Amino acid sequence: MLLPRFSLTRSVGGAVVVTLVCVNTVLLAAFGVLDYIGEKHRLETELRVGASLAASQLAENLSRPLWFLERENIVQLMDGLMQNERVAAVVVTEGDSGKPYDGRGRDRDWQPAPLTTHPALDRVLSEKRDIRFEGRPVGTVEVQLTRRFMDRELDAALARIVFRILCLNAALGLAAILVVRWRVIAPLARLERYALRVRLGDPSCATEPEGLRGELASLGRTMHETVLRLTSTERKYRDIFEHATEGIFQTTLEGRMLSANAAMAAMLGYDSPTELMDAADDVGVRLYHSPDDRQVMLERLLREEAIAGLQLRFRRRDGQTMWVLLNIRLVRDAAGAPLYTEGTLSDVTARVRAEHRLEILNRHLRKAVEERTGRLAEKARELEAANVRLTELDRLKSGFLATVSHDLRTPLTSIMGFAKLISRDFGKFFAPFAAGHERLTAQATRITANLSIIEHEGERLTRLINDFLDLSKIEAGRADWRDVVVDVAEAVARAADAVSADFAAKPEVSFAMDVADGLPSLRIDPDRLTQVLVNLLGNAAKFTDEGAVRLHAFVAGDMLRVEVTDTGQGVPRESLEKIFDKFHQAQVSDTVTEGQRRKGTGLGLAICRQIVEHYHGRIWAESELGRGSAFILELPYLRKDA
């Protein structure tokens, strides 16, 4: 079966035989067509002449019967004409009405049958004549002859022509085959068998084909060398194809999978490329998440020839959706007609999911930013309104400070002065008269104590007013700073002397100083430095009922550090920053009664922070409840090379 197929379709011998047969067929067909046309023309003429004669003769015979309306004679004449099998129908029309008077046609068995309407037949030749009686028109007759018998004769003629062509072609082809088979077809068959062995991977194709002579032997050697090169190239391509990490495929335009590598099969969840190709009979339905995606891709591919980096959704064997990156191109034949598509496929599901999560995060972030921006805008409006209110409050505060400075501090000074005078005069002139009288003595003692309370509270109120005025001036930038070079050791000693009375009043609390030798100098207002140290030492003495207070001054890196530690009640952790706020006094518990609160203004530490930060320093507190506190300040000192 292999040799005839090869001989008639591919080989040179087959081409020669086919060419001879085709040329002979064309010539014979041309003459046969001429014969067929002549025969058809003859039969057509014969039919037309017969129809014309039958119509003329019937019109002449029907003139008298139609004039006298002799229906029986008319029927006999029509039945007589219908004896001719070629007559398909006869219709007689009376006068100019156009309506049939009588007629005969054919039924399904081709037997004559009466007509009631004008027939509408196919494949008929119609002839129509006027019927005249003594020169006057009395009607018309129409005769229709069928072409079916003419077609039978034409079919028979055509069959004879085809038979002659087949016989002549068979004779010519047999002669050509016998001549060409031995010289051309048989050697080419050997080459075909060699090519078949190459395609099947037969090891015998490593040797040249035998039994060839002349040009075919040279062709065999060339083919053998080409096979060797192609085998090597195919082996390299196969290695690349099978071991590639990306999916490689070829598909028809209709969607049938032509080839696929192992990477693509594994990517889509199949055990082998063969299993993938068997299952993917229509890749648009089997592999694409939506068949419309492939249709859109093909329309674009026909316009652009190649598409790179197209991201699509595919469906794995288990039904899961995956994202792939598709690179595909259209392969055309020599005439430019599309043949198939080929390309590569990469699984980018992880990347797409990461991008999707990132997009969601970005969307949430943008929404959060918008919400935060709205809140900030609202806060800005609130701050603007608060700023207006604070400006008004600052104006009121300035007026209040002026009032305090003039109208409150001056009367307070007078009250304290007169309280001291009354206490002195009462003790000098009135208290001696109460001696020996128990009730008067008790009354005098109470009056003296009350005057002492007035004097003490007046001093505390004066300190509060002075602290408040100092803090307000510092915050407003109107404070006077008299900066000079200060010896730290001397400043610490002055501060210790200033609070010595506080420690003397508490013999159960000891005080110690540890000032390092050779401390560097500070450029600072000495009164402000003393104010800070006194405040820290005073607080330590105030909040320490028993134990010790220690002051340690030393150099720590680029800063001069002073630490004041005590063994008092300590400060809660949540209040370590709040104690530096104005009017804040830390308590161990919210249930401390008024009598148990330490007396103070609540402004001392706030003033200390303002002073220290003015000199670019830092102050903070460290504490543990029940074990004491440590207040630490750092100030930049003067360098010798500055």
Side-chain angles (χ1 to χ4, degrees):
M1 294 300 295
L2 179 63
L3 188 59
R5 177 188 65 81
F6 184 91
S7 303
L8 295 178
T9 59
R10 295 186 181 180
S11 69
V12 175
V16 171
V17 172
V18 171
T19 302
L20 290 175
V21 171
C22 290
V23 171
N24 185 61
T25 301
V26 170
L27 293 176
L28 293 175
F31 288 111
V33 169
L34 293 177
D35 292 343
Y36 181 81
I37 293 174
E39 183 67 15
K40 182 178 180 181
H41 180 70
R42 184 185 66 80
L43 294 174
E44 184 81 20
T45 302
E46 181 181 344
L47 186 64
R48 189 174 297 279
V49 170
S52 178
L53 290 175
S56 298
Q57 185 177 1
L58 186 59
E60 183 179 354
N61 294 333
L62 287 174
S63 60
R64 183 178 183 82
L66 186 59
W67 172 257
F68 292 103
L69 299 177
E70 297 175 352
R71 184 177 293 274
E72 293 182 358
N73 291 335
I74 295 174
V75 171
Q76 289 178 359
L77 290 173
M78 289 190 298
D79 289 340
L81 185 59
M82 291 297 294
Q83 297 301 316
N84 186 354
E85 291 185 348
R86 293 177 180 271
V87 179
V90 178
V91 179
V92 177
T93 304
E94 180 185 2
D96 297 330
S97 63
K99 296 182 179 179
Y101 175 75
D102 204 347
R104 289 292 184 270
R106 299 285 184 179
D107 59 12
R108 292 185 178 181
D109 297 329
W110 204 248
Q111 298 297 322
L115 289 177
T116 57
T117 60
H118 194 283
L121 303 177
D122 296 330
R123 300 293 298 163
V124 296
L125 181 64
S126 179
E127 287 290 338
K128 192 173 183 180
R129 295 289 186 272
D130 293 332
I131 303 174
R132 294 179 178 273
F133 180 75
E134 295 181 356
R136 288 174 297 184
V138 294
T140 60
V141 62
E142 182 180 357
V143 178
Q144 295 183 356
L145 270 64
T146 182
R147 298 176 184 269
R148 61 188 299 184
F149 297 100
M150 185 186 75
D151 292 341
R152 290 178 183 177
E153 294 180 8
L154 288 176
D155 291 342
L158 182 61
R160 290 192 297 272
I161 293 171
V162 172
F163 180 74
R164 287 198 302 269
I165 292 173
L166 292 177
C167 292
L168 291 175
N169 280 337
L172 180 62
L174 181 60
I177 289 174
L178 293 176
V179 173
V180 174
R181 180 184 178 89
W182 178 65
R183 297 294 298 175
V184 177
I185 295 178
L188 290 180
R190 296 191 186 95
L191 289 178
E192 185 191 29
R193 287 192 292 271
Y194 174 76
L196 181 61
R197 292 199 305 272
V198 170
R199 183 168 64 87
L200 297 177
D202 190 345
S204 63
C205 64
T207 59
E208 296 182 10
E210 300 177 352
L212 302 178
R213 295 187 297 273
E215 294 83 354
L216 293 179
S218 177
L219 178 62
R221 287 191 298 272
T222 303
M223 182 183 294
H224 178 66
E225 295 173 358
T226 303
V227 166
L228 294 179
R229 288 196 297 271
L230 289 177
T231 301
S232 177
T233 303
E234 182 184 5
R235 187 180 301 111
K236 294 178 181 178
Y237 170 76
R238 180 59 58 182
D239 290 341
I240 296 174
F241 182 79
E242 292 179 352
H243 298 92
T245 57
E246 293 184 343
I248 303 175
F249 65 90
Q250 289 180 332
T251 61
T252 64
L253 296 181
E254 293 76 18
R256 183 170 56 85
M257 184 76 71
L258 296 177
S259 65
N261 66 344
M264 184 169 180
M267 189 185 304
L268 296 172
Y270 292 90
D271 296 332
S272 66
T274 302
E275 185 179 6
L276 170 60
M277 288 187 290
D278 291 341
D281 52 351
D282 187 347
V283 296
V285 176
R286 298 290 185 182
L287 302 184
Y288 283 73
H289 185 270
S290 173
D292 294 338
D293 292 344
R294 185 173 189 272
Q295 186 62 33
V296 173
M297 182 272 295
L298 286 178
E299 293 175 358
R300 179 182 170 187
L301 189 62
L302 291 173
R303 294 193 307 267
E304 303 178 8
E305 299 294 327
I307 301 175
L310 180 62
Q311 191 167 288
L312 293 171
R313 286 187 300 172
F314 268 44
R315 187 168 54 250
R316 290 171 50 88
R317 182 183 185 182
D318 54 9
Q320 294 183 359
T321 300
M322 62 182 295
W323 286 92
V324 299
L325 195 65
L326 180 65
N327 298 301
I328 190 169
R329 75 181 188 94
L330 183 64
V331 179
R332 298 180 180 271
D333 59 12
L339 288 179
Y340 58 89
T341 64
E342 63 182 11
T344 61
L345 204 68
S346 302
D347 185 358
V348 294
T349 304
R351 190 192 72 185
V352 171
R353 289 176 179 172
E355 291 175 350
H356 181 64
R357 288 194 294 270
L358 181 60
E359 181 182 357
I360 294 175
L361 292 176
N362 287 334
R363 186 165 59 251
H364 290 170
L365 180 60
R366 286 193 297 269
K367 184 177 180 181
V369 169
E370 291 175 358
E371 293 176 354
R372 186 62 180 271
T373 303
R375 289 196 297 269
L376 289 176
E378 182 65 25
K379 292 294 183 183
R381 289 191 293 270
E382 293 177 359
L383 289 175
E384 185 177 358
N387 186 45
V388 174
R389 293 195 299 270
L390 289 176
T391 302
E392 180 65 20
L393 291 175
D394 185 64
R395 185 182 64 80
L396 294 175
K397 185 187 72 172
S398 299
F400 173 73
L401 291 177
T403 301
V404 170
S405 176
H406 183 271
D407 296 339
L408 185 60
R409 189 161 53 177
T410 300
L412 184 61
T413 303
S414 299
I415 292 172
M416 292 176 59
F418 280 108
K420 290 180 181 180
L421 289 175
I422 294 172
S423 177
R424 186 189 63 182
D425 292 342
F426 182 80
K428 182 177 180 180
F429 297 108
F430 293 97
F433 291 103
H437 195 287
E438 181 178 357
R439 183 178 179 183
L440 291 178
T441 301
Q443 189 70 20
T445 302
R446 189 176 65 178
I447 292 173
T448 302
N450 290 339
L451 291 173
S452 177
I453 291 173
I454 293 174
E455 181 180 353
H456 179 73
E457 292 300 322
E459 291 177 352
R460 192 163 72 88
L461 183 58
T462 301
R463 288 195 302 272
L464 172 61
I465 294 172
N466 290 334
D467 289 344
F468 184 75
L469 292 175
D470 286 345
L471 182 61
S472 299
K473 289 180 180 180
I474 293 174
E475 291 179 344
R478 296 194 298 267
D480 295 329
W481 304 93
R482 294 181 293 274
D483 296 342
V484 296
V485 178
V486 176
D487 188 321
V488 177
E490 295 180 359
V492 170
R494 286 197 300 271
D497 291 339
V499 297
S500 59
D502 295 338
F503 289 106
K506 286 187 173 183
E508 63 275 9
V509 179
S510 63
F511 173 67
M513 287 195 308
D514 181 9
V515 180
D517 296 333
L519 289 178
S521 301
L522 297 176
R523 185 169 186 80
I524 193 172
D525 187 335
D527 294 335
R528 299 295 185 186
L529 178 59
T530 301
Q531 184 179 3
V532 172
L533 295 175
V534 168
N535 198 301
L536 296 180
L537 291 172
N539 284 343
K542 184 191 302 182
F543 292 100
T544 303
D545 295 329
E546 61 181 7
V549 175
R550 179 172 177 268
L551 185 147
H552 184 202
F554 59 97
V555 174
D558 296 336
M559 308 291 282
L560 175 69
R561 177 179 291 189
V562 178
E563 297 179 353
V564 177
T565 59
D566 61 61
T567 58
Q569 64 185 21
V571 180
R573 183 179 299 274
E574 62 273 10
S575 298
L576 288 177
E577 280 297 321
K578 294 180 181 179
I579 58 176
F580 291 96
D581 295 339
K582 291 179 289 186
F583 303 109
H584 183 86
Q585 291 180 303
Q587 302 294 338
V588 178
S589 172
D590 293 338
T591 60
V592 177
T593 63
E594 183 62 29
Q596 294 174 316
R597 294 184 185 274
R598 306 287 183 174
K599 294 182 179 180
T601 64
L603 296 174
L605 291 178
I607 294 174
C608 291
R609 170 164 283 184
Q610 292 288 341
I611 294 173
V612 172
E613 290 181 351
H614 174 77
Y615 289 103
H616 308 290
R618 190 165 67 100
I619 185 171
W620 72 95
E622 298 175 356
S623 180
E624 185 177 352
L625 284 177
R627 302 189 63 179
S629 305
F631 287 82
I632 306 166
L633 70 90
E634 290 183 344
L635 291 169
Y637 57 81
L638 290 176
R639 298 180 179 274
K640 295 181 179 180
D641 55 353

